[in-house]
Amino acid sequence: MISTIFPTPYPDELLYSVCARYAARMRFSSANIISEQLFGSRNVVAVTDLPSRLDTLSSRLPKQSPLDANTLIDHHTLLPFYAPFIPNERLQRIRSAMRGNKGGTIHTRLGIMAGSIPMVKRLRFCTACVMEDRQRYEECYWHRVHQIAGIDICPDHRCLLQESAASSQRQTIHYAYTAAEDVIPQIFQESPAVPRSHLYAIAKQAAFLLNNGIEADSRSFFEVYRANLESQGFVTIDGSVRMQQLHAAFVDFYTSDLLANVSCSFDGINETWLARIVRSDRKAHHPLRHLLVLHFFGQRLETVLYRDRSMSPAPFGFGPWPCLNKVCPHSHQDVIPTCSIKYSRYAEGKPIGTFACTHCGFTYTRTGPDSAGTTRFEIGKIQAFGPLWEDRLKNVFEHGTLSLRAMSRLLGVDVMTIKRQAQRLLTPMCDFQDEAAQAHIHLESDSTSPNIQDKHRHTWLNMLESYPELGISVLRQRANQTYTWLYRHDKEWLNLHKPCTFIARSRPARVDWKARDELLAKAVDRATIQLLNRHGPPRRITVAAIGRITGRLMLIQQHRDKLPKTAQRLDEAVESREDWALRRLRWTIEHIKEQGLILRGWEIVRRAGLSRFPKQWFEIHGIEF
Amino acid sequence: MSNQYVDTLGWTGDDENAHYSEQILPIYQDNPLIEALPPIKTHSQVLTALSQFPDVNPEHRQLPWELRMHLIRDIDRFFQPLPRHGHLYSDIAVMICKGYMARNPLKMGFWKQLDADTDALMAQQPYTRRSEYRKSAMAMAIIGISGIGKSRALEEILALYPQVIHHTEYKAKPFPWDQLVWFKLECPHDASTRSLGLAFFAQIDARLGTNYWHGYARNGRASEAELMQNMARVASIHSLGVLVIDEIQALSKAKSGGAEKMLNFFVQLVNTLGVPIILIGTYKAQELFSQAFRQARRATSQGAVIWQRMQLDDNWKLFSEALWDYQYTQRPVELTPVLGRTLYDLSQGITDIAIKVFILAQVLAVRSGREALTTELLTEAAHVGLPLVQPFLDALRKNDTDALTRMEDIQPINIDDSIAQMLDIYDKNQDDTDQAAPIPAITEDQGLLSLGGVEGSSPEDIYVLLQEQSYLKSVAEEVGLQVPIHTRESGE
């Protein structure tokens, strides 16, 4: 069990920081005992942003501790920052990964690994926060809000965050927790506030996300963007987005320097993250980018997310509401007990009430909120007329005594509506399904081909001819019978007679692997030399060691197949066990010589950390001692 | 966890959830550790609380002897508080509270100070760092011969406190903390400081359910220095109120690299971290203290308390009179001055021996059917049941300090063994004298009548026979054959 003195987390403290403070309090004989005690295994990596095994941790906390896995996730990890921007189902999977032991999948699922916003390399702090914390709690701690990639301003003090010496990424001793108090020096003066107000506003928004545990559907952001694009004139009459203007305005608003700083800049207007984020609601984007777009539109999360709540609780007053069917016996009487309210996607989230009469089936909607009593009798749009009204229309129309205007007055709708509805109700219209059948009939009457195959082929060709712009899936819907027959009996012919496919535009390569390979290969060389020329005891040259020096460990480890040159350099550089032992031996001998010591063979071997006395080496490699 | 160090787990006390009480003294206010302690008792409250007088029912004296044997064995529980127990309580109460005064974990800078202090402890820096601790920290040593009631007294006094207090919230702020008010560690025989350290962690784990054995003692592989430092840390993070180390004389000078080193550690623990310590030992331990502990004494108000055996005075009278109520023989007798003096002479004022002689005499009285305590019975019981302590008592009688220091300490007396031993001899002698019939059990119907000498083999006769024949002689031989007290295995 964990000792009862497991620290109580401070506001906005990273779980990592709590663990680090616990480790500092306990000071166990070795660092991995903390991992073992807290997470049940000594191999658990100390993760700063999105840790896992939280169920294990919470089950090991003292009984009276109020911390359960969900509280830890919501208040002491960075997940709430990402939560509103990913589909709910995926969010639940990430949550369960964080509770369980599958920590490896979290970053991948969130898209942080593949994303283009680099992770924070070192834990950061705000000097003013540190001073405040030290005054209030006698110690400082790692704040969540300071560890968000791209946001380097403290939302509380508006000063630039400082990088500490503590790495927030995988370290040599990967289970070590570094307490803030141990690495942040004494601070006597706060950093001055910075005037960059855009990022400050975004930092504020990030803090809002962390502190409010919102699980919105990412769709709703797309709707907000769409509405704002429209209201701010970035949408053409036919509904497409004026990308050129949008991009220009965006860069103008943020400046390209700032965008580059937060890894959110773009070239051109095609397939930029900005284009994708406003165009499609299917792909996940980094929260930082969402925040940038929202801020650009002058929107704040508070209003966007809580717009439902900020509305009046009863935008249409209280029921029952009147039936507005002129021919209904209950016309203009309050007979509709309930109305369902939805919020508009386009009209700034205004409420739309739907009212359905239970007697006549007449259903109308109205955009609210109602301003005065008269609007109670206003129809926004008629959703359904209901059998009563429709029968009446047929009746009057067939009777033929009334003029259209008289009918309009009688039925309470526009003349045009009367016409349309009469057409709909009185003359059976051909639907899409019937089209094929019509063609069919047409062909049969021709009776040029008694053969069924020919008949279908003909139909299909006809369809292709009449609708050259449609793709196969639409054609198939329209002439389902024909398509199915051909598919089953005449597939080869069908394959030859498909509408020409649109050539999918290939995505431009995001990464120039070749250039990257060149750069990395050089970096590997430099790192190797640096390792070899290291002052002091030698260090083995391994992929990990090189990776750490270059700062590209992940890249080297996980994308080796895309980096042939780098891989080759690595293969050359990395030492085998024997090479490494030999180098150690040579260094030891050198070192002993420098010190002017005279040691016996076995003593040298012991100092070099070798297990056996490699006599043959001394001979083979001509080492003298 | 299984390891050899848990076997010695000594007394354990109660667990309690913290209830905070208003402190009258301003110096103790706003300190959750002190506020959670039971209120400080007055002298008379202490004496009442410490008293352990098992109920006596005169009717029980007529029960079958088998049942009465149980009652007689229960006399062991008897505890008569004396003025010195009251003094000891107030010393300990002051120690605990003052120790906590300077170690309030809610105070700013608690952790920083802890880190600094444990580091200082290892750097062997002098303990002049914090005047606050020096004023409040205390160490005490209780020295006295075995059986004088040192450990028993401390056990009873500490039992007035809960051993572990679980804190969760203090003044509406979360305060998760397991406060260890007292912890008693018995020095294993011929112990090194290292094994004492290991025992500390093993027993803390057994008591608190932690896993410090793994975290701090590295599963028993930790070095001595590491153990010392970690002991200090654990003592701090569990707010150890007072650490009691019993049988300190068992600390091996040879194995500890000089007992001074160990005692120095205790002194530093006291002075640097402010953890009060009570060491308990026999006179042999006094020489250990003489060097190292003198410093502590200088720095603190407390020092070594030497517990003398009781004198034949009013205290003795108080004690023996209280004890005398616990007669389960069929015919209780008055405590005459002669009986009182005999008991004193047989025990030399050592309470443990006095109680044991009293128990043994009753066992003998009941089993032999004599059913009444006499000076002879007491003497016989003492000599037969406790032969091994006799040379020691002799030395005390003569006040032969030379002999006393030459003798190693007497082992704690196991009353069950003594009874078994006594009855062994008793039965053996019966066989020797061809008294085939076992001692007739005095049942209720036989009762007192049988003692009147109606039957030939009345207990009185048996006694006479035993005396005449080889009984006492064999006792003497047994005593003679036994290895004298000054070797260790003699006690077992």
Side-chain angles (χ1 to χ4, degrees), chain A residues 305-436:
Chain A
L305 292 164
Y306 294 145
R307 65 204 153 116
D308 296 2
R309 267 186 243 169
S310 67
M311 287 299 164
S312 135
F316 299 100
F318 297 95
W321 289 273
C323 173
L324 298 179
N325 183 359
K326 263 200 153 175
V327 297
C328 179
H330 302 287
S331 181
H332 285 72
Q333 290 173 22
D334 289 342
V335 287
I336 302 174
T338 56
C339 91
S340 70
I341 297 173
K342 279 182 182 164
Y343 292 92
S344 167
R345 277 192 187 193
Y346 305 114
E348 290 163 354
K350 281 184 179 167
I352 301 167
T354 306
F355 308 86
C357 175
T358 45
H359 300 281
C360 63
F362 187 85
T363 308
Y364 64 94
T365 62
R366 184 169 66 237
T367 304
D370 290 353
S371 51
T374 49
T375 51
R376 266 171 75 79
F377 300 101
E378 266 171 27
I379 293 176
K381 193 178 170 191
I382 294 165
Q383 295 269 317
F385 293 96
L388 192 73
W389 189 90
E390 285 172 357
D391 285 351
R392 192 66 191 271
L393 176 74
K394 278 191 211 163
N395 202 327
V396 197
F397 215 82
E398 278 165 358
H399 213 260
T401 49
L402 290 175
S403 72
L404 276 173
R405 281 187 185 281
M407 280 191 250
S408 156
R409 277 194 296 276
L410 178 74
L411 294 168
V413 295
D414 192 72
V415 174
M416 282 308 286
T417 311
I418 298 279
K419 274 188 178 173
R420 253 197 316 258
Q421 293 305 317
Q423 206 171 2
R424 181 177 72 88
L425 291 166
L426 297 174
T427 48
M429 298 289 289
C430 355
D431 290 343
F432 280 141
Q433 288 111 325
D434 301 332
E435 253 175 73

Side-chain angles (χ1 to χ4, degrees), chain B residues 119-141:
Chain B
D119 290 345
L121 190 64
M122 284 341 281
Q124 300 275 323
Q125 282 173 14
Y127 45 80
T128 48
R129 295 171 44 82
R130 283 186 86 189
S131 55
E132 200 182 347
Y133 279 167
R134 255 193 305 151
K135 274 182 218 139
S136 62
M138 276 165 292
M140 179 166 45

Side-chain angles (χ1 to χ4, degrees), chain A residues 2 6 15 19 34-47 50-61 67-70 72-73 77 93-107 174-175 177:
Chain A
I2 298 174
F6 188 75
L15 177 62
C19 296
I34 289 290
S35 306
E36 199 176 347
Q37 256 206 11
L38 300 181
F39 299 104
S41 161
R42 58 174 59 197
N43 298 321
V44 176
V45 179
V47 181
L50 300 158
S52 63
R53 288 180 178 257
L54 299 183
D55 275 342
T56 313
L57 174 66
S58 65
S59 72
R60 283 161 178 247
L61 288 175
L67 300 171
D68 59 18
N70 282 327
L72 288 173
I73 291 175
T77 74
R93 259 195 281 161
I94 290 167
R95 284 190 90 98
S96 73
M98 286 177 77
R99 300 178 59 139
N101 296 351
K102 292 231 168 90
T105 62
I106 298 167
H107 290 78
H174 54 261
Y175 42 74
Y177 289 87

Side-chain angles (χ1 to χ4, degrees), chain B residues 175-370:
Chain B
F175 176 53
W177 203 261
D178 277 351
Q179 178 184 2
L180 193 59
V181 181
W182 52 268
F183 194 69
K184 184 233 176 193
L185 204 57
E186 195 155 312
C187 213
H189 280 291
D190 215 24
S192 63
T193 46
R194 192 169 167 276
S195 66
L196 187 76
L198 291 175
F200 176 82
F201 288 109
Q203 294 187 26
I204 287 269
D205 281 353
R207 184 64 188 83
L208 294 178
T210 48
N211 195 0
Y212 294 154
W213 176 256
H214 179 53
Y216 286 127
R218 288 201 279 133
N219 295 329
R221 285 179 289 113
S223 71
E224 189 182 306
E226 223 177 321
L227 286 171
M228 296 291 111
Q229 190 174 20
N230 290 339
M231 262 172 90
R233 178 164 285 271
V234 168
S236 272
I237 61 183
H238 286 296
S239 297
L240 180 53
V242 58
L243 176 64
V244 179
I245 300 179
D246 202 357
E247 309 290 353
I248 191 76
Q249 73 276 4
L251 203 63
S252 162
K253 277 192 223 172
K255 284 191 183 174
S256 303
E260 283 212 9
K261 202 169 136 201
M262 183 74 185
L263 289 164
N264 252 329
F265 169 73
F266 291 141
V267 172
Q268 287 197 347
L269 202 61
V270 170
N271 289 322
T272 316
L273 283 162
V275 179
I277 287 191
I278 299 177
L279 303 177
I280 308 177
T282 58
Y283 281 108
K284 203 181 141 233
Q286 202 175 5
E287 61 176 296
L288 291 177
F289 300 145
S290 54
Q291 293 300 311
F293 234 53
R294 198 180 298 146
Q295 300 171 321
R297 223 178 307 165
R298 206 183 298 141
T300 64
S301 58
Q302 312 287 326
V305 180
I306 295 180
W307 276 25
Q308 302 288 358
R309 58 203 166 105
M310 261 191 253
Q311 298 302 313
L312 197 57
D313 56 11
D314 285 350
N315 274 344
W316 179 256
K317 214 176 149 212
L318 180 73
F319 169 78
S320 53
E321 274 173 0
L323 184 62
W324 217 252
D325 289 339
Y326 294 93
Q327 290 181 65
Y328 292 105
T329 50
Q330 288 178 345
R331 286 176 288 144
V333 294
E334 283 279 305
L335 176 64
T336 59
V338 181
L339 277 170
R341 250 203 311 278
T342 310
L343 190 61
Y344 182 83
D345 185 57
L346 290 171
S347 63
Q348 284 299 305
I350 298 171
T351 45
D352 188 44
I353 296 182
I355 293 172
K356 272 156 189 161
V357 167
F358 185 65
I359 291 172
L360 288 170
Q362 288 198 50
V363 170
L364 202 58
V366 168
R367 289 300 299 271
S368 68
R370 275 175 282 170

